[in-house]
Amino acid sequence: AQLRVRVVYLARLRDALGSAGETFALPADDAPTVDSLVTALRGRGGAFATELAPGRAIRFAVNHRVAGRSQSVADGDEVAIFPPVTGG
């Protein structure tokens, strides 16, 4: 079984990945989390591997609430991926 999440790329990630967002399917049988989503996206290689690499400063929100990598995701959730907001 698969579940579908809406992935939204914000700020520089939108430019780097050439996309404002997409619907992404994950296997539903392994209790997916933000981290497993990021790992799956990173597996595409290219800009995804670079921008989502371990140690890169990126933040996440699930359904408009800031979330950590261990946050579980469910079918129909929206997961936003964005760089930390810097003050100025």
Side-chain angles (χ1 to χ4, degrees), residues 7-26:
V7 186
V8 179
Y9 306 112
L10 301 174
R12 70 168 168 79
L13 291 177
R14 179 187 300 140
D15 299 327
L17 302 175
S19 173
E22 64 185 296
T23 299
F24 193 81
L26 283 167

Side-chain angles (χ1 to χ4, degrees), residues 2-88:
Q2 289 191 324
L3 57 83
R4 294 184 180 281
V5 295
R6 174 78 184 149
V7 186
V8 179
Y9 306 112
L10 301 174
R12 70 168 168 79
L13 291 177
R14 179 187 300 140
D15 299 327
L17 302 175
S19 173
E22 64 185 296
T23 299
F24 193 81
L26 283 167
D29 50 6
D30 60 357
T33 61
V34 168
D35 196 55
S36 58
L37 170 65
V38 171
T39 299
L41 290 168
R42 189 187 305 139
R44 292 172 162 176
F48 286 91
T50 302
E51 294 297 328
L52 303 177
R56 287 299 294 262
I58 47 176
R59 299 275 176 89
F60 311 96
V62 176
N63 299 326
H64 306 278
R65 298 183 69 163
V66 173
R69 287 181 179 267
S70 61
Q71 172 77 39
S72 60
V73 294
D75 192 52
D77 280 356
E78 178 189 280
V79 181
I81 306 175
F82 53 97
V85 177
T86 55

